[in-house]
């Protein structure tokens, strides 16, 4: 990217990349089995890449962390955003892929989203 003179990049990660946020996960099975034994190492790898990005100077990155992805159509629901932990406790635990794409397009040129790791959600828990 340096050679091409490009700085802007958007990554798609997941809720719960911060290990501390995993305790906020609703649902006994999801919190105690799925996150821990099935996708925990993947989430840890995502967190490592976020920490690397935070240490760089040459990228205007945004790591978008959606909840569980669904195949539904795009909606006009308002996004709930959390820049301090990798989940949005007051949002539903699922979001349509089409809405994630809508959010990615919304922040593409938004300088307020540069150099952010941002959890997103919609709806009510």
């Amino acid at each position: 990217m340096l050679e091409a003179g490009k700085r802007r990049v958007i990554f798609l990660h997941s809720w719960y990349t911060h290990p501390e946020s995993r305790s906020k996960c609703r649902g006994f099975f999801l919190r105690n089995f799925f996150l821990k034994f099935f996708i925990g190492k993947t989430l840890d790898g995502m967190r490592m890449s976020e920490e690397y990005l935070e240490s760089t100077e040459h990228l205007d990155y945004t790591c978008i962390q959606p909840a569980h992805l669904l195949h539904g159509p795009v909606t006009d629901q308002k996004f709930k955003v959390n820049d301090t932990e990798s989940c949005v406790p007051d949002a539903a635990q699922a979001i349509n892929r089409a809405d994630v794409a809508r959010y990615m397009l919304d922040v593409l040129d938004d300088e307020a989203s540069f150099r952010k790791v941002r959890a997103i959600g919609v709806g009510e828990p």
Side-chain angles (χ1 to χ4, degrees), residues 18-117:
H18 285 73
E20 303 82 34
S21 70
R22 296 176 196 171
S23 65
K24 296 181 180 179
C25 178
R26 297 182 296 274
F28 178 83
F29 177 79
L30 185 61
R31 180 179 57 252
N32 293 301
F33 294 99
F34 189 73
L35 291 180
K36 188 172 185 178
F37 297 112
F38 293 101
I39 65 168
K41 295 289 183 193
T42 302
L43 295 173
D44 292 342
M46 288 179 184
R47 182 62 196 142
M48 286 175 55
S49 68
E50 292 164 2
E51 289 170 341
Y52 171 76
L53 287 169
E54 290 167 345
S55 72
T56 66
E57 299 289 325
H58 66 282
L59 293 175
D60 293 326
Y61 65 87
T62 303
C63 289
I64 299 171
Q65 302 172 318
H68 174 74
L69 297 172
L70 302 173
H71 292 295
V74 68
T75 70
D76 61 354
Q77 292 185 41
K78 185 176 176 9
F79 291 104
K80 296 179 180 182
V81 175
N82 190 338
D83 288 341
T84 60
E85 52 190 344
S86 60
C87 64
V88 184
D90 64 340
Q93 290 193 136
I95 186 171
N96 292 341
R97 284 175 170 83
D99 284 329
V100 175
R102 177 172 60 100
Y103 185 80
M104 292 171 86
L105 292 172
D106 287 350
V107 300
L108 188 60
D109 295 319
D110 177 14
E111 291 185 18
S113 72
F114 289 11
R115 304 194 55 77
K116 300 281 184 176
V117 177

